[in-house]
Amino acid sequence: SKAGHVFLVGILLVSFCSLAQRRGGPPRRIANPKNLQLPGGSKVEFRSFSASSIGEKASYSVYFPPAYQKQLDRKFPVIYFLHGMFNDHTSWTVARYGNIPLLIEKLMLQGSSPQCLMVYPEGRNSMYTDFADGSKKYEQYIYQDLIREIESRFRVKKTRNNRAIGGTSMGGYGALKIAMKHPELYGSVAATSPIILLGNNPIELVNSSNRISFFYRVFTQVFGLPFDQAHWKENSIEVLARRVNL
């Protein structure tokens, strides 16, 4: 819905501003997270499940709105939020980034946004992309394993119009790419400061720039060494934007 899309963009802006303001200081993730009960009745749980697409236990956090524990016959929309590079599924809850769950709860209690579940999967530094060698399928993990886990475990609406995806930085790239490749699954998509590299070979770009040279190891892990041109084209935002009709 239009209201849901506006809310998704708002949450992304809140998250991005918090990220941008706190480059140094306290830790960016929690080593041993504990579930959080918020003062307004919402809560955050930290969970894991066996994800066949990546062949291991996959961790995620899930935000339950205040109404979830009060209206037991009600089902809710879901927003999947993909974190940026070097963060994880706990990062959005830490003080370094402004305790985002409290901000979300405030918006919902004020009636400024619809009540929904928010799911933050751990994506490591995967670019939310299936690896060229087939060893890890992080895109499939997001659009298949994770959706199946959430929709089988929680009271959520299971239609496209009640499912949204967004992210920042690396997660912004992942959200745009996955929504473009699987438009039948997501009714809304939004991204802030997404990593988008143009051209036929991003390895050449990261080799020629000191500012983003640390991406080199990540890109070679995902897209292969030697570089797999066909795999890149399947996951290039530039290529997808030209051919996908959302």
Side-chain angles (χ1 to χ4, degrees):
S1 67
K2 182 177 180 180
H5 182 73
V6 171
F7 174 59
L8 173 59
V9 172
I11 292 301
L12 286 167
L13 290 174
V14 168
S15 302
F16 179 70
C17 289
S18 298
L19 292 170
Q21 291 170 2
R22 301 297 298 274
R23 295 297 183 185
R28 62 172 68 222
R29 61 182 70 86
I30 304 172
N32 297 296
K34 296 181 180 180
N35 293 342
L36 304 173
Q37 184 67 53
L38 278 63
S42 57
K43 64 178 180 177
V44 177
E45 291 186 358
F46 299 93
R47 291 174 167 264
S48 64
F49 71 106
S50 295
S52 59
S53 296
I54 56 176
E56 62 185 64
K57 282 275 190 180
S59 297
Y60 66 94
S61 59
V62 54
Y63 170 89
F64 298 94
Y68 190 86
Q69 299 177 78
K70 297 177 180 178
Q71 302 175 20
L72 301 181
D73 59 346
R74 179 178 172 184
K75 294 184 178 181
F76 297 82
V78 186
I79 294 176
Y80 296 88
F81 188 97
L82 309 184
H83 66 73
M85 197 167 286
F86 305 115
N87 285 348
D88 69 7
H89 63 296
T90 71
S91 297
W92 74 292
T93 68
V94 301
R96 174 190 179 111
Y97 299 137
N99 291 313
I100 296 172
L102 290 174
L103 301 177
I104 295 172
E105 180 181 69
K106 182 178 179 180
L107 290 173
M108 291 185 180
L109 290 175
Q110 290 175 339
S112 301
S113 65
Q115 299 213 18
C116 63
L117 271 69
M118 300 190 68
V119 178
Y120 291 72
E122 178 171 14
R124 304 189 188 277
N125 289 338
S126 66
M127 301 298 295
Y128 301 99
T129 299
D130 296 350
F131 289 7
D133 63 7
S135 61
K136 302 284 184 182
K137 298 180 179 180
Y138 274 94
E139 178 184 314
Q140 184 174 312
Y141 155 59
I142 297 297
Y143 80 82
Q144 183 172 290
D145 293 355
L146 185 62
I147 289 179
R148 185 183 297 125
E149 161 73 6
I150 299 304
E151 295 188 353
S152 65
R153 192 170 297 278
F154 307 117
R155 300 193 321 274
V156 298
K157 297 179 179 180
K158 301 179 181 180
T159 61
R160 175 183 184 270
N161 287 341
N162 289 287
R163 194 186 295 124
I165 188 168
T168 60
S169 190
M170 178 186 76
Y173 161 79
L176 291 173
K177 174 179 70 78
I178 291 172
M180 286 181 177
K181 294 177 74 173
H182 308 281
E184 75 283 359
L185 294 178
Y186 305 97
S188 297
V189 59
T192 54
S193 191
I195 295 175
I196 298 178
L197 298 177
L198 306 179
N200 295 322
N201 190 340
I203 302 298
E204 295 177 354
L205 295 177
V206 299
N207 273 337
S208 63
S209 171
N210 291 330
R211 189 170 67 87
I212 58 175
S213 62
F214 65 91
F215 286 149
Y216 179 80
R217 186 175 300 175
V218 172
F219 274 83
T220 55
Q221 173 182 252
V222 175
F223 296 105
L225 191 64
F227 180 70
D228 188 326
Q229 187 73 58
H231 189 55
W232 167 248
K233 287 184 177 181
E234 291 174 356
N235 295 281
S236 164
I237 296 294
E238 180 183 16
V239 174
L240 290 169
R242 290 172 176 169
R243 72 184 188 202
V244 173
N245 182 21
L246 294 178

